[in-house]
Amino acid sequence: DTDQLRLPKEAQLEAARAATLDSLAAFHARFVRRLKLLVFTYGNLAAADAAAIAAELESRVSAAREATLPRSDWADSPVTQVRAGAWRLTMRPLSAEEKNSGCLLYYQLGQLDVRPERAQLLVLLRLLQQPLFAELRTKQQLGYVVRSDEMRHGSGRSCVSGVYVLILSKDFAPPQLQRSIDDYLRTVPEAVIGALTADEFQTARGALVTRFREPDRTLAEAFSRRWTAIEEETYDWARRAKLADALEAVTLEQVQALAARLTSAPRLAVHVFGNNHLAAFGEDDGSGSVAIDSWEAWRAAQDVWGDVELQ
C-alpha cells in the first residue's frame, strides 16, 4: 500500500538485510500467483496468431497463479505533492574527494496532462532553454552544467509535471547558484518571453507541433507509443495528435502568464555542497525557503497526488 511504498530508506535497507533465501523463495511464490498479465503484439502478425499467443501465455501463467491481481493491489508509486511555499534540502559532500557543488531548483506545477497548460509549458520550456543557458552558463559562467527542462513523475493518471533548473559548479557554492537562478527567472516573463516577435514565437511553437505530428518512422516507435498508452491505462491512441492541436492554440500571452506564475509555484531546492564550498554551508540564499531537516520525515508529511480522469 501507499505507506509501505513510502518507507524510509533505512527501513528498506533493514528489510533487505533481513532477507533470506527462504524468504525470497516465499515471496517469489506469492508473486507468481498474483501476476497481472498484459500482452501487446504489433507488426506483421495476423489477429488470429496474436490471439493464439495471448491464449498460450494466459494458460501458462494461470497454471501457476491463484487469481488475477485486483487493480487495488497493484504496486503504484505515489507522487509526493510539494506543499505551497519554498523548501530547501541541504546536503554535505557526497565523498571526501568531491569538489563540485550542485543546485537543483524544482517547481511543481501539477497534473498538467489533463489541462491546456501542458502545451503552454512545452512552449515555455522551448523558449527558455537557450536563453537560460546563454545567460547562466555562457555569460555568467556559473557552472560546467546548466540545464532546464520539464520534470515528470508518475505516469498516466498520476503523472505530475514540473520545471527544473540544474547547475553543477566547481567555482560557486549552492546559495550563490540559487540567487543567480532566482534573479534570472524573475526576468523571464518580460525580458525573454515579452521580447519575442510574433514570427519568433510562431517558429518555436510550430517546431513543437511538427514534432508531435511526425508519423512513426520505425516499428519500434509505433510499438512504444501504443504500449505506453496500455501500460499507463490511458488507452488514448490519439494523445500526441491532441497535444499537437493544443500546441497550435497556445498564444504568446498564455506563455508569458505561465512564466510569471512559475516562480510562485510550490518549489523544492536541493543544495549539494562540494568540499571546496563548505565555508558557505548554512549561508542564506535569499529565497526565504524553509530548511528540511530530515528528507524522509518531510516526504512522509506531504500529501500524494491521486489519479485523475484523463482528457
Side-chain angles (χ1 to χ4, degrees), residues 148-298:
S148 63
D149 207 343
E150 181 182 20
M151 183 179 288
R152 287 160 63 80
H153 296 95
S155 62
R157 291 177 172 82
S158 64
C159 187
V160 176
S161 292
V163 173
Y164 78 89
V165 179
L166 170 69
I167 300 180
L168 301 180
S169 178
K170 65 178 180 179
D171 299 315
F172 297 96
Q176 176 58 51
L177 300 176
Q178 179 74 68
R179 288 190 289 269
S180 298
I181 295 172
D182 288 340
D183 289 344
Y184 178 74
L185 289 181
R186 280 191 286 268
T187 71
V188 168
E190 297 298 330
V192 178
I193 308 302
L196 291 171
T197 66
D199 286 343
E200 289 171 333
F201 177 77
Q202 290 173 9
T203 297
R205 183 186 62 186
L208 283 170
V209 172
T210 298
R211 191 182 95 193
F212 282 95
R213 291 206 188 281
E214 283 183 349
D216 297 321
R217 292 168 295 180
T218 65
L219 181 62
E221 286 184 358
F223 183 95
S224 177
R225 291 181 184 179
R226 288 156 179 81
W227 174 249
T228 298
I230 295 172
E231 187 176 38
E232 296 184 350
E233 298 184 276
T234 65
Y235 308 109
D236 187 353
W237 319 116
R239 193 151 185 79
R240 288 177 65 86
K242 291 178 182 178
L243 187 53
D245 291 342
L247 285 165
E248 288 183 331
V250 173
T251 66
L252 177 59
E253 292 74 20
Q254 289 173 331
V255 175
Q256 191 173 17
L258 178 59
R261 295 196 306 271
L262 178 63
T263 54
S264 62
R267 82 179 211 175
L268 172 65
V270 180
H271 293 180
V272 182
F273 281 76
N275 287 283
N276 285 358
H277 308 130
L278 280 176
F281 196 88
E283 178 184 313
D284 183 11
D285 62 13
S287 67
S289 57
V290 178
I292 298 174
D293 296 324
S294 166
W295 171 251
E296 296 295 352
W298 177 86

